[in-house]
Every structure is written in structure tokens, then in C-alpha cells.
């Protein structure tokens, strides 16, 4: 059967046949499995010309038909920025079986990022051959700036603006030069010009979700800013967005933990020890700059939308072009529900603690 729909995205650089993808991935062999990313499963592949690619089989998206999917692929194909993962091509096939493999569905083909994702470097698994050295301060600084620039392009470089909805460490990939590229931005709905986006389907990951988006389905550029703030804190603190290791029945949000310590004047306890333990760290890792990055992360991840900067202002603060304002107070800690402990934290349920915030929706969303 033909593996191409009647209507193709006109701007995609390459339209792949399913047979090409099967050959590239050795029939989607488990040895080529990279991971489950946003909206799908990703495999490493090698094309006939030797080019290494990442092939994503789209499992879940907001798009009902192939025409809508192709429209979105056209949008993705037009996005060109140093800090986005470039889309190389796509494939849509209705074939059920090829060489005994069920292959019907939609596929996106991206450039392969050889250094994996940010999460792998921040929180490497113990043992094995792939133990990674802690990221240096210059690397962390560059990654944070790269992500900010990629988001600024999505928010301001294209019209209508694109809101990512799922900024997190696993969606930040690192190329051969350890430069950050934002991934999985393609299947997020574009915003309506000048408006926030209300949705009943909340896409995102626990610990990174902005409260107004999680609770009320209101998606704005500030929702991505919140998630970006959480990523900054993970990079600067060396802690996960959600910490289940405290022995408590609650998971601790990094935003609460960092804010409370900084407000108590204990900023040195917040920075990752890998950045501060060397005797010459004051020279290699200038404390004042690291603290500025930390404060920008806390500000971006503020519970109230109006108190977060835009991504453009956050970038200016990071680069020292404008001052970081005093860190404002915030409502009671947003502790997650104990039922999440040890469970699947990728399936979102509204925490009773969040629901009990002494903050009405009007205040939060302003």
C-alpha cells in the first residue's frame, strides 16, 4: 500500500517511505530504542546515506486526521532556529503490516542529538558505561541561555506564537557541542493571536506544570516560563523538579524548596555542590552570576502569572542586561498529594493541596 497521504506538507525537506524507516531502524529494533518522548516513541536510525536520525512514531496528539497532522508538520518545518531540534522529514502510512511489523501511523524524523537529553546529564543513572561527569558551570550557563533563546523564538519569532506546553529536562536535547536544543515543540497547538489558550486537555509533566495551566487549563507564554524556571532550578540545584527522597509522604517541589531557602538567606545551600566544592570555584564559577541565575529560576517559577517575567525579560536578566527584581512572597507550598508517592507522576491529577490554595483564579491568572 502507498505510504503517503493524498496531501503532503509542501515545505518538508524529505518525505520518507515507511520502508526507508524500517531499514534505518532495523525494523524498529529494541536495540535502537531511545526512549518515550512527548507524544510518541523514539528510535535511532541510520539512513541509506549514513545520516543518523531520530525517528518518532507519534502515539498521542491533538490531531484527529492526517490533513491536520500535515498542516502542523508544515508549521514545524518552517521553524528554523539554532536552539530547536530540526525536523528532517515525516511519514504517514496506512499500512498495517510490513515484514510482519505493524507500522501504520505517523512518523517524524529529526536530526539525531548525540549527547542525549539534559536529564541524563543532571541525574545520571548509577553504574554502566554511560556514567556522565557533572555538567560544568559554563555548560550549565550555556544550556540555560540556549533554552531561553529557543523559547523566545517560539513565543516571539513566529506568528501566531507557539506555546510548548511541556518544557522539561528530557525535552532539552544536547548536540555534539553540548549546545541545547528544545525538542517536542511541534505538536503543541499554536496560540490565537494576542490571546491565552484555554484547553480541557492539559499536556505536561508533574513538577513542571504551571499551576494556572494545571488547575484551570489556561495556557499562555507564562506557562512555558514557569516550566523554564523549574528547569533552571534543576540545573542550578542538581535536584529533580519533584523530590520523593525526603522520607515524607509528600513530594517536595523544587520551586518551594529553593524559594524557602533563598528567602531564609541560605542561598549557598541551594546551589549544586558540584558548582561550589572546588577551592578555585570562586574563580571558575563566579558566585554572583550563579546566584543571579538561581534567582531568575525562582522568579520564572512563581505561582502567580503576573509576577513571572516574559521569556525575553528572563533572558535579559540572565545576561545581566536588566536587574533581577526582589523575589516576591508566594502562597503556601504547593505540596503534591501523597498518592503520587511511588506512582506514575506523568499522569496528571489535581492535587488537593493545590486546590486548597488561598488564592482565587482571578488573582492567579492576572
Amino acid at each position: 500500500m502507498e505510504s503517503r497521504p493524498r496531501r503532503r506538507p509542501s515545505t518538508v525537506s524529505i518525505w520518507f517511505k515507511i520502508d526507508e524507516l524500517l531499514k534505518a531502524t532495523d525494523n524498529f529494533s529494541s536495540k535502537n530504542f531511545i526512549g518515550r518522548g512527548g507524544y510518541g516513541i523514539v528510535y535511532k536510525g541510520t539512513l541509506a546515506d549514513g545520516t543518523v536520525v531520530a525517528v518518532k512514531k507519534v502515539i498521542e496528539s491533538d490531531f484527529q486526521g492526517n490533513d491536520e497532522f500535515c498542516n502542523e508538520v508544515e508549521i514545524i518545518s518552517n521553524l528554523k532556529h539554532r536552539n530547536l531540534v530540526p525536523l528532517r522529514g515525516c511519514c504517514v502510512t496506512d499500512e498495517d503490516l510490513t515484514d510482519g511489523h505493524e507500522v501504520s501511523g505517523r512518523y517524524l524524523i529529526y536530526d539525531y542529538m548525540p549527547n542525549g537529553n539534559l536529564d541524563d546529564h543532571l541525574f545520571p543513572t548509577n553504574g554502566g558505561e554511560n556514567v556522565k561527569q557533572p555538567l560544568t558551570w559554563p555548560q550549565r550557563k550555556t544550556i540555560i541561555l540556549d533554552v531561553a533563546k529557543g523559547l523566545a523564538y517560539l513565543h516571539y519569532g513566529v506568528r501566531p506564537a507557539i506555546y510548548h506546553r511541556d518544557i522539561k529536562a528530557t525535552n532539552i536535547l544536547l548536540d555534539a557541542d553540548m549546545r541545547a536544543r528544545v525538542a517536542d515543540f511541534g505538536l503543541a497547538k499554536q496560540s490565537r493571536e494576542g490571546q491565552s489558550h484555554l484547553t480541557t486537555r492539559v499536556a505536561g509533566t508533574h513538577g513542571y506544570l504551571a499551576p494556572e495551566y494545571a488547575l484551570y487549563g489556561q495556557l499562555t507564554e507564562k506557562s512555558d516560563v514557569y516550566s523554564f524556571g523549574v528547569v533552571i532550578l534543576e540545573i542550578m540545584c542538581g535536584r529533580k523538579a519533584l523530590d520523593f527522597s525526603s522520607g515524607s509522604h509528600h513530594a517536595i517541589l523544587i520551586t518551594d524548596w529553593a524559594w524557602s531557602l533563598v528567602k531564609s538567606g541560605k542561598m549557598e545551600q541551594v546551589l549544586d555542590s558540584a558548582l561550589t566544592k572546588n577551592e578555585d570555584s570562586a574563580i571558575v564559577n563566579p558566585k554572583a552570576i550563579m546566584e543571579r541565575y538561581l534567582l531568575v529560576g525562582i522568579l520564572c517559577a512563581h505561582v502567580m502569572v503576573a509576577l513571572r517575567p516574559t521569556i525575553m525579560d528572563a533572558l535579559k536578566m540572565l545576561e545581566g542586561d536588566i536587574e533581577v527584581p526582589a523575589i516576591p512572597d508566594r502562597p503556601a507550598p504547593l505540596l503534591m498529594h501523597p498518592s503520587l508517592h511511588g506512582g506514575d507522576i506523568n499522569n496528571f491529577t489535581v492535587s488537593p493541596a493545590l486546590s486548597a490554595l488561598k488564592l482565587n483564579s482571578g488573582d492567579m491568572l492576572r
Side-chain angles (χ1 to χ4, degrees), residues 134-170:
L135 293 170
T136 64
W137 162 241
Q139 286 175 326
R140 297 185 202 216
K141 180 181 178 182
T142 299
I143 288 167
I144 290 170
L145 291 174
D146 283 346
V147 176
K149 291 172 184 175
L151 276 177
Y153 173 76
L154 292 177
H155 289 185
Y156 297 103
V158 295
R159 283 291 176 264
I162 292 177
Y163 303 150
H164 189 291
R165 300 198 297 178
D166 200 16
I167 292 293
K168 58 183 176 180
T170 52

Side-chain angles (χ1 to χ4, degrees), residues 161 227 291 300:
S227 304
E291 289 181 350
C300 286

Side-chain angles (χ1 to χ4, degrees), residues 165-207:
R165 300 198 297 178
D166 200 16
I167 292 293
K168 58 183 176 180
T170 52
N171 278 343
I172 297 166
L173 305 186
L174 301 171
D175 65 17
D177 299 317
M178 290 295 288
R179 298 298 299 269
R181 294 177 181 256
V182 177
D184 283 337
F185 53 85
L187 299 187
K189 294 285 194 181
Q190 286 193 300
S191 73
R192 292 167 291 177
E193 189 74 38
Q195 300 180 42
S196 63
H197 178 64
L198 287 171
T199 178
T200 55
R201 178 185 179 273
V202 173
T205 304
H206 265 312

Side-chain angles (χ1 to χ4, degrees), residues 82-101:
R82 172 72 179 80
N83 300 119
L84 300 182
V85 176
L87 178 69
R88 179 171 286 268
C90 69
C91 170
V92 177
T93 177
D94 295 324
E95 295 184 48
D96 290 328
L97 293 173
T98 298
D99 296 331
H101 291 80

